[in-house]
Amino acid sequence: MKADADSMTWKTGEHTGVSEHMLLTVEQGKRLIDRLEQKHGLPMAEMTALIDANCPKLRDYVRLKAREIGDRIYGKNIYIRGLIEFTNYCKNDCYYCGIRCSNTKAERYRLSREDIMACCREGKKLGFRTFVLQGGEDPYYTDDCIVDLIHQIRTAFPDCAITLSIGERERESYERFWEAGADRYLLRHETAAESHYQKLHPENLSLKHRKRCLWNLKEIGYQTGCGFMVGSPGQTSEHLAEDFTFIRELQPEMVGIGPFIPHSDTPFAEETQGSMELTLYLLSLLRIQQPDLLLPATTALATIHPRGRELGIEAGANVVMPNLSPVGVRDKYALYDGKVCTGEEAAECRNCLERRMESVGYHIAVGRGDHRNIDF
Ligand code: 5AD
Ligand code: FES
């Protein structure tokens, strides 16, 4: 990529000894951000340079722009989704994740259908109109099981959106869930770079299959969410630029990002936590690249900073996903160490979030909070 090389300086092989790094001044960074806003994407090398240029001045610049764009589309509304973590059994062995199958220290649990329905009832009372059923990849919940569960929720709560987040399944399974009444599906791609994917996952998992699942979900008609961790081991700014390129291609309705946080009983126990500043910067860049995105201020962000969620909103996020799982199992769904809100009842989190959002000038919107597909 040599575009716009007029005033940009190039350095060769600075960090990796292989790739070229473009060093930007703040003014050049701002121009790239303006171009990202106009074109809704940047070529790889420019995006990489922009990510590398993360600094307080550019963070201010992107934050204000991202918030202006978000407010134009969604106003001061923050959408809430009630998260029901219904199983922490998982057949996968992702190196970063605390509920990986090799972690024998994880105390496993499964919620029954009655438990799940009770969470939904409680959520409905508290004003939730979206339920997110999230779990590890647990074969105990067969397709038939999930279909039954969706039917039951659909019948009992016809005005609520049902979101699934249960990992990779066959296209036919996704089709059955869709026909049963599921509306949305969250499946983070984790990283769009093949080599990096392999660093984070054992051999039996592939980025190709992950991406195929996401394309299938989109084609079937789900409002689809992908996403990635910020600062996962081995991640470079090129990898992040690839994430932005993939997101530009997929055009998901939602993108979930949060800092990587080590879990002490995983192979990544000694790795460094992802940075909050970079997470906030990327949240803003996502809002600018794809203005109508549903963008959560994640629990991981809240875990690494006491005002993480508020800062996430100020950076351009417009969704929060408090936990509706029974308090008794909360701390067992431990993907990473130190997860916040494991001791609070759903009602406490609901009220706490309301106050937190109001402290930065936003309010919790009731309603399903569907993706707003606008022309821009
Ligand atoms: N730190 C931060 N996020 C994590 N996830 C899994 N493990 C960790 C961790 N150690 C994220 C993954 C997954 C989502 C449910 O949680 O991106 O898709
Ligand atoms: Fe859970 Fe504040 S959001 S206690």
Side-chain angles (χ1 to χ4, degrees), residues 298-345:
T298 55
T299 308
L301 191 54
T303 297
I304 63 164
H305 190 282
R307 291 184 66 251
R309 267 178 298 227
E310 293 90 316
L311 294 168
I313 298 299
E314 287 181 323
N318 67 335
V319 174
V320 285
M321 301 173 68
N323 210 312
L324 282 180
S325 316
V327 171
V329 302
R330 292 265 184 104
D331 58 339
K332 300 190 178 71
Y333 201 84
L335 309 185
Y336 46 80
D337 289 340
K339 187 175 166 194
V340 293
C341 292
T342 54
E344 281 76 14
E345 291 289 347

Side-chain angles (χ1 to χ4, degrees), residues 94-99 134-135 165 187-190 210 227-230 256-263 266 268 300 333-337:
C94 310
Y95 304 139
Y96 46 83
C97 184
I99 62 169
Q134 184 167 92
S165 180
L187 181 70
R188 289 191 179 181
H189 62 284
E190 310 299 356
R210 192 92 176 164
F228 55 90
M229 289 174 286
V230 177
I257 70 166
F260 160 75
I261 304 170
H263 186 291
T266 63
F268 289 163
Y333 201 84
L335 309 185
Y336 46 80
D337 289 340

Side-chain angles (χ1 to χ4, degrees), residues 61-71 283-285 287-288 314-316:
Y61 190 74
V62 288
R63 190 184 66 242
L64 296 176
K65 198 182 271 299
R67 231 15 296 178
E68 196 186 293
I69 294 169
D71 287 2
L283 274 173
S284 300
L285 292 178
R287 169 67 64 216
I288 295 169
E314 287 181 323

Side-chain angles (χ1 to χ4, degrees), residues 43-259:
M44 268 294 290
E46 292 186 346
M47 196 67 211
T48 306
L50 186 56
I51 292 166
D52 274 334
N54 169 23
C55 66
K57 282 195 179 132
L58 284 185
R59 276 202 299 281
D60 280 348
Y61 190 74
V62 288
R63 190 184 66 242
L64 296 176
K65 198 182 271 299
R67 231 15 296 178
E68 196 186 293
I69 294 169
D71 287 2
R72 200 163 64 223
I73 297 173
Y74 291 104
K76 296 287 180 188
N77 296 311
I78 302 297
Y79 300 100
I80 43 169
R81 280 78 167 92
L83 189 60
I84 304 170
E85 295 159 337
F86 68 96
T87 172
N88 73 348
Y89 281 84
C90 191
K91 65 177 160 68
N92 291 335
D93 214 15
C94 310
Y95 304 139
Y96 46 83
C97 184
I99 62 169
R100 64 200 299 267
C101 63
S102 296
N103 182 12
T104 51
K105 290 197 191 156
E107 219 184 293
R108 306 287 170 172
Y109 74 90
R110 291 186 175 112
L111 297 186
S112 68
R113 206 187 311 173
E114 292 66 42
D115 295 333
I116 297 172
M117 292 306 289
C119 292
C120 294
R121 275 195 297 278
E122 169 76 2
K124 177 94 201 264
K125 258 199 300 193
L126 293 170
F128 290 89
R129 295 295 177 270
T130 296
F131 303 122
V132 182
L133 299 176
Q134 184 167 92
E137 291 198 12
D138 181 357
Y140 172 90
Y141 297 90
T142 59
D143 288 355
D144 285 344
C145 252
I146 299 288
V147 164
D148 279 353
L149 185 59
I150 297 168
H151 274 143
Q152 203 172 336
I153 300 176
R154 189 36 72 245
T155 309
F157 308 99
D159 58 337
C160 295
I162 302 173
T163 305
L164 298 177
S165 180
I166 54 174
E168 298 180 20
R169 295 218 180 188
E170 298 298 322
R171 186 185 174 112
E172 294 66 43
S173 314
Y174 290 156
E175 281 166 351
R176 289 188 62 199
F177 305 156
W178 172 255
E179 278 151 24
D183 309 271
R184 308 179 188 148
Y185 205 105
L186 307 180
L187 181 70
R188 289 191 179 181
H189 62 284
E190 310 299 356
T191 171
E194 189 66 54
S195 59
H196 188 221
Y197 197 89
Q198 284 165 19
K199 201 180 151 50
L200 303 179
H201 302 96
E203 252 171 38
N204 66 324
L205 296 176
S206 82
L207 177 60
K208 234 187 178 154
H209 191 258
R210 192 92 176 164
K211 286 185 174 172
R212 191 171 327 128
C213 287
L214 281 162
W215 285 111
N216 283 339
L217 291 162
K218 278 285 283 189
E219 278 168 27
I220 293 167
Y222 285 96
Q223 293 178 46
T224 305
C226 65
F228 55 90
M229 289 174 286
V230 177
S232 58
Q235 186 180 61
T236 63
S237 39
E238 278 96 347
H239 295 150
L240 288 167
E242 289 204 42
D243 289 319
F244 276 75
T245 303
F246 172 64
I247 289 166
R248 190 186 186 186
E249 287 162 12
L250 182 70
Q251 290 289 306
E253 280 71 26
M254 182 157 178
V255 175
I257 70 166

